[in-house]
Amino acid sequence: MAVTPRTGPLPGRPESYWMDTSDPTSYPPLAQDIEVDVAVVGGGIAGLSTAWEVARTGRTVAVLEADRIAAGVTGYTTAKLSSLHTLVYERLRRTRGPEAAHLYARSQQEAVEHVAAVCAEIGADCQLERAPAYTYTTRADGTDELRAEADAAREAGLPAQYTEVTDLPFAVAGAVRVEDQAQFHPRAYLLALAEDLRTRGGVIHERTRVTGLREGSPCRVTAESGHTVTAKAVVVATHYPVFDRALLFARLSANRELVVAAPLAPGQDPGGMYITQEGGKRSVRTAPYGDDGGRLLIVTGEGFTPGTGDAAAGFRALDAWMREHFDVAETAYRWAAQDNSVTDGVPMVGPFHPGARHTYVATGFGGWGMSGGVMAGSLLARLIGGQKSPWADLYDPRRLLSTVREAPALLSQQAEVAKHFVGDRLRTHVDSVDEIPAGSGAVVRIEGRRCAVHRDESGALHAVSARCTHLGCLVAFNEAETTWECPCHGSRFGTDGEVLQGPATSPLERRELPGS
């Protein structure tokens, strides 16, 4: 077994392969008040898919993105397009019935096929490849669970089969296999979609953080700059809703997963997409790499709640696992992805809250945002157009909480939030800024206030408020990614306090250190 190094440089360059191999974007910020039929807040796969589907109906649409489109969660995904979502079908069959499992399977598989059709329609060169998807186990005591999942997936309408044979370079005890799934370059796909959206009259505004929403007829969203967009309908597709009038945060939990990628030796491609929940989760796929027909192995795992995990140790463990099991060259990339899960395991896509008439939301894809985001775009476009999708009720955010299937997860999640909200205030991470080494950060009590202090590699100190601007939890430092993270709801900030990821919309306030 490979030994995980505890010190030294982290493996690979700290960049997403998808970001590194696609062109940057430079759509203009919102510079004046505008009026459209539909305003979409968020420029990831859910937001851009929704905007494109809406534009196809002849409606005017504006996409408002706080940073750059397809550069948030979507730019750092593993980019599997699959309807096999680990062990979802047996759980759905058991908790919500066979019809719910069938609708889930149909909606997700239609999303896979929709991407293929859209690629052909707009001529997107996004490395779309068909491949089987597997959920596997290496433990003999895990095979019964996979047999049940294969049976539930077949009953739901997928061409699923149980097998004990894969093309992985190590033995498995059993696996669920579904044929004709897909993998692609997510940014290449979405950048092509964005350009086609513009030809259909859509507008995209980057570096336009939305901070206000007034519901009504019409609705109005307000950007940080003060400019407004008036719209007949508004879609909030910001990964974690930046407005939470339905208190969806109580049913959402954030999870951050690490990724390493390395060139694979010729002839070693395992020929599919693989995932297991064992060992902190391991997800495996390959992608075209270089001009000579090479393949890049992409491995994901070592998940943790933002603000709680040791990302550096996770990167090293993931890299060691990859090297133990695959014949790879020097690690080329490392990055991290973040997603939210709903306590009942089904994404929330539809009307924003029980009283909503013209506002919609898409969130909680649980690590399966590629098919989920495309599905959301089609579903929301139908709802905005006055039509109802066959699976609208399945994903409806207004669905009632089931005390049987959801309450245990909800209570556990909220107990964890309460632990951080209260417990983190009872301690100070270090007693003095002098204890913070170069390249690190910690929460320090200074003149009665908790400050998040980072010491950069040159020794200079950077201090901001330690209170997350979402709901006030204390942030923690992620040394491997040089960010401040909120363990309650997953907001992430730069060392200067800038918002990197919501639900927070306001930066951490700057703090002056004594003597500075």
Side-chain angles (χ1 to χ4, degrees):
M1 178 174 292
V3 177
T4 304
R6 297 181 179 275
T7 59
L10 291 174
R13 183 157 58 93
E15 180 59 287
S16 156
Y17 172 64
W18 317 122
M19 298 296 295
D20 190 45
T21 55
S22 56
D23 294 331
T25 57
S26 57
Y27 295 102
L30 181 67
Q32 62 183 6
D33 296 350
I34 63 173
E35 186 171 344
V36 292
D37 291 326
V38 180
V40 177
V41 185
I45 191 165
L48 287 172
S49 295
T50 301
W52 188 80
E53 299 288 349
V54 166
R56 293 180 81 188
T57 67
R59 291 175 173 83
T60 56
V61 60
V63 176
L64 309 175
E65 166 56 44
D67 190 13
R68 299 295 187 188
I69 62 167
V73 175
T74 302
Y76 293 82
T77 177
T78 310
K80 295 178 177 179
L81 269 169
S82 176
S83 56
L84 181 63
H85 295 177
T86 317
L87 299 173
V88 67
Y89 293 104
E90 169 58 17
R91 183 179 71 244
L92 276 175
R93 182 171 67 175
R94 185 178 66 254
T95 60
R96 299 185 66 171
E99 180 61 15
H102 170 71
L103 290 171
Y104 188 95
R106 182 180 164 196
S107 65
Q108 297 295 325
Q109 187 59 39
E110 283 196 12
V112 175
E113 303 306 328
H114 192 57
V115 171
V118 172
C119 284
E121 179 180 344
I122 68 175
D125 182 11
C126 60
Q127 302 176 355
L128 184 71
E129 301 175 320
R130 291 289 191 170
Y134 297 82
T135 298
Y136 73 91
T137 181
T138 60
R139 304 192 324 261
D141 61 359
T143 58
D144 287 347
E145 187 176 44
L146 290 187
R147 289 180 189 275
E149 181 66 14
D151 179 70
R154 276 194 307 274
E155 183 180 319
L158 295 181
Q161 59 178 302
Y162 177 81
T163 182
E164 295 177 353
V165 178
T166 73
D167 289 325
L168 287 169
F170 53 87
V172 303
V176 182
R177 174 179 172 131
V178 175
E179 296 289 346
D180 209 24
Q181 303 302 287
Q183 54 191 19
F184 69 151
H185 191 304
R187 262 183 66 84
Y189 173 73
L190 288 179
L191 297 189
L193 200 70
E195 282 303 294
D196 193 72
L197 169 64
R198 292 182 67 192
T199 68
R200 298 174 186 269
V203 295
I204 298 172
H205 292 292
E206 296 181 322
R207 302 293 169 89
T208 302
R209 185 177 298 282
V210 171
T211 56
L213 168 62
R214 191 197 74 182
E215 297 185 62
S217 184
C219 301
R220 181 170 289 121
V221 295
T222 304
E224 196 172 39
S225 63
H227 295 299
T228 62
V229 178
T230 301
K232 297 174 184 175
V234 174
V235 174
V236 179
T238 54
H239 178 60
Y240 203 120
V242 292
F243 308 107
D244 206 359
R245 296 167 189 187
L247 300 180
L248 297 184
F249 69 83
R251 300 173 74 175
L252 291 169
S253 59
N255 186 59
R256 194 155 183 82
E257 293 182 338
L258 307 180
V259 186
V260 292
L264 193 59
Q268 300 300 305
D269 189 341
M273 301 172 288
Y274 298 84
I275 190 168
T276 181
Q277 296 289 12
E278 297 169 10
K281 183 180 177 180
R282 294 292 183 262
S283 172
V284 174
R285 64 156 288 190
T286 65
Y289 189 65
D291 298 326
D292 58 355
R295 304 292 294 184
L296 185 74
L297 181 70
I298 301 171
V299 179
T300 306
E302 298 296 318
F304 60 93
T305 299
T308 66
D310 185 343
F315 276 123
R316 293 187 174 103
L318 198 61
D319 194 66
W321 183 90
M322 176 176 68
R323 297 188 168 283
E324 179 182 358
H325 292 89
F326 294 89
D327 185 2
V328 292
E330 182 179 355
T331 303
Y333 299 94
R334 73 172 187 274
W335 70 89
Q338 188 164 312
D339 204 355
N340 302 305
S341 297
V342 183
T343 45
D344 70 354
V346 177
M348 293 180 172
V349 182
F352 202 175
H353 54 79
R357 296 295 178 266
H358 308 290
T359 53
Y360 305 86
V361 70
T363 188
F365 296 111
W368 299 102
M370 296 298 96
S371 60
V374 173
M375 176 278 298
S378 298
L379 190 159
L380 292 174
R382 285 188 182 184
L383 292 179
I384 291 169
Q387 302 173 324
K388 187 172 181 180
S389 164
W391 38 84
D393 291 341
L394 173 68
Y395 294 105
D396 195 329
R398 302 168 300 181
R399 61 186 182 260
L400 295 176
L401 172 72
S402 166
T403 55
V404 175
R405 65 173 178 259
E406 195 172 352
L410 182 67
L411 291 172
S412 174
Q413 175 185 314
Q414 292 311 304
E416 187 69 16
V417 170
K419 182 186 74 173
H420 288 294
F421 192 85
V422 177
D424 289 354
R425 282 166 166 72
L426 302 179
R427 64 186 178 92
T428 300
H429 294 205
V430 297
D431 294 324
S432 166
V433 296
D434 296 334
E435 299 178 39
I436 302 174
S440 189
V443 174
V444 189
R445 187 187 292 274
I446 299 174
E447 297 181 344
R449 297 192 299 181
R450 289 179 177 84
C451 298
V453 182
H454 166 62
R455 187 186 298 275
D456 65 27
E457 295 295 346
S458 71
L461 294 170
H462 308 271
V464 294
S465 169
R467 294 181 71 251
C468 177
T469 55
H470 176 226
L471 290 178
C473 291
L474 295 187
V475 297
F477 193 66
N478 178 337
E479 188 168 324
E481 299 181 77
T482 320
T483 54
W484 293 105
E485 298 177 348
C486 175
C488 291
H489 304 107
S491 295
R492 302 177 64 247
F493 306 86
T495 55
D496 60 355
E498 175 191 6
V499 178
L500 301 178
Q501 192 161 358
T505 59
S506 301
L508 301 175
E509 294 181 3
R510 299 287 183 94
R511 294 283 189 256
E512 294 295 328
L513 296 175
S516 62

